Amino acid sequence: DAGITQSPRYKITETGRQVTLMCHQTWSHSYMFWYRQDLGHGLRLIYYSAAADITDKGEVPDGYVVSRSKTENFPLTLESATRSQTSVYFCASVGTSGALAKNIQYFGAGTRLSVL
Amino acid sequence: AQKVTQAQTEISVVEKEDVTLDCVYETRDTTYYLFWYKQPPSGELVFLIRRNSFDEQNEISGRYSWNFQKSTSSFNFTITASQVVDSAVYFCALSEMGSSGSARQLTFGSGTQLTVLP
């Protein structure tokens, strides 16, 4: 199916473990983003990518690593998970042409991560 | 730096009442985009509207309307004759406009939880 998909939808892990959240989009959008949602903060940008092999930090990048070897995939890795990284994580991409309206970010369904 | 403020943390109304959600933004950019997203209890983020900074026309879509006032840096959202299905968290967001007119990363407000009671 076309769209932007995140996996897993739910994840429980322990402090210190490495966790990778996956994001896949089928629109060939250049820009992709990772946000985290916490109560009282709305959504905050972790990392973004303008194209394959081009990534940059957002507002809250500490403790996270991203890569983008292919346009359609943008995984987010927590190298050593901490309790403060318990959150809901959203991936998004920007529609700039084609069937989707221009310059609108479309979001995946989110990954709910709990770090115990 | 960009900032979006949604001062109303929670609003509760009775069905059929009108309700306005406030959004105030700060940016040094002269061109930018403003957005509203809806997050229903199921958790997904649903796009509602995008406005660019040089178009201050108000917009109406069914029961939804948006009032963009550049002079006060506000982009308020009104739901007319609210319904229970409107219950959700609503986010206002701001994006710079890239050199080609493309949108960039979003700066979100903290959201307003709207509860519509039957």
Side-chain angles (χ1 to χ4, degrees), chain A residues 5-8 20-24 34 73-77 91 111:
Chain A
T5 55
Q6 293 184 234
S7 60
T20 295
L21 310 184
M22 304 302 293
C23 179
H24 175 78
W34 275 105
N73 296 324
F74 190 37
L76 175 74
T77 297
C91 178
T111 295

Side-chain angles (χ1 to χ4, degrees), chain A residues 61-113:
Chain A
D62 293 344
Y64 303 95
V65 174
V66 292
S67 62
R68 195 162 175 212
S69 57
K70 293 183 178 181
T71 300
E72 60 267 29
N73 296 324
F74 190 37
L76 175 74
T77 297
L78 289 66
E79 292 190 303
S80 179
T82 65
R83 289 182 181 174
S84 65
Q85 292 177 310
T86 293
S87 187
V88 180
Y89 292 85
F90 286 97
C91 178
S93 67
V94 176
T96 56
S97 63
L100 290 177
K102 285 183 146 188
N103 299 318
I104 295 169
Q105 280 196 25
Y106 291 93
F107 287 81
T111 295
R112 187 175 294 273
L113 176 68

Side-chain angles (χ1 to χ4, degrees), chain A residues 31 33 35 37 40-43 45 48 90 94 102-105 107 109, chain B residues 33 35 37 39 43 45 47 50 91 101-106 108-110:
Chain A
Y31 275 84
F33 308 85
Y35 297 88
Q37 182 178 11
H41 290 281
L43 281 80
L45 182 69
Y48 67 100
F90 286 97
V94 176
K102 285 183 146 188
N103 299 318
I104 295 169
Q105 280 196 25
F107 287 81
Chain B
Y33 290 108
F35 301 82
Y37 282 86
Q39 187 176 44
L45 284 156
F47 165 78
R50 183 205 72 199
F91 290 100
S102 57
R104 295 286 185 264
Q105 56 269 31
L106 295 172
F108 282 86
S110 55

Side-chain angles (χ1 to χ4, degrees), chain B residues 61-81:
Chain B
S61 177
R63 297 184 295 107
Y64 295 172
S65 62
W66 290 269
N67 181 270
F68 175 30
Q69 292 196 340
K70 211 168 179 178
S71 60
T72 57
S73 298
S74 65
F75 186 42
N76 297 336
F77 173 30
T78 297
I79 302 174
T80 303

Side-chain angles (χ1 to χ4, degrees), chain B residues 37-54:
Chain B
Y37 282 86
K38 174 182 180 180
Q39 187 176 44
S42 52
E44 73 270 25
L45 284 156
V46 179
F47 165 78
L48 294 178
I49 190 171
R50 183 205 72 199
R51 240 15 206 175
N52 59 43
S53 52
F54 39 86

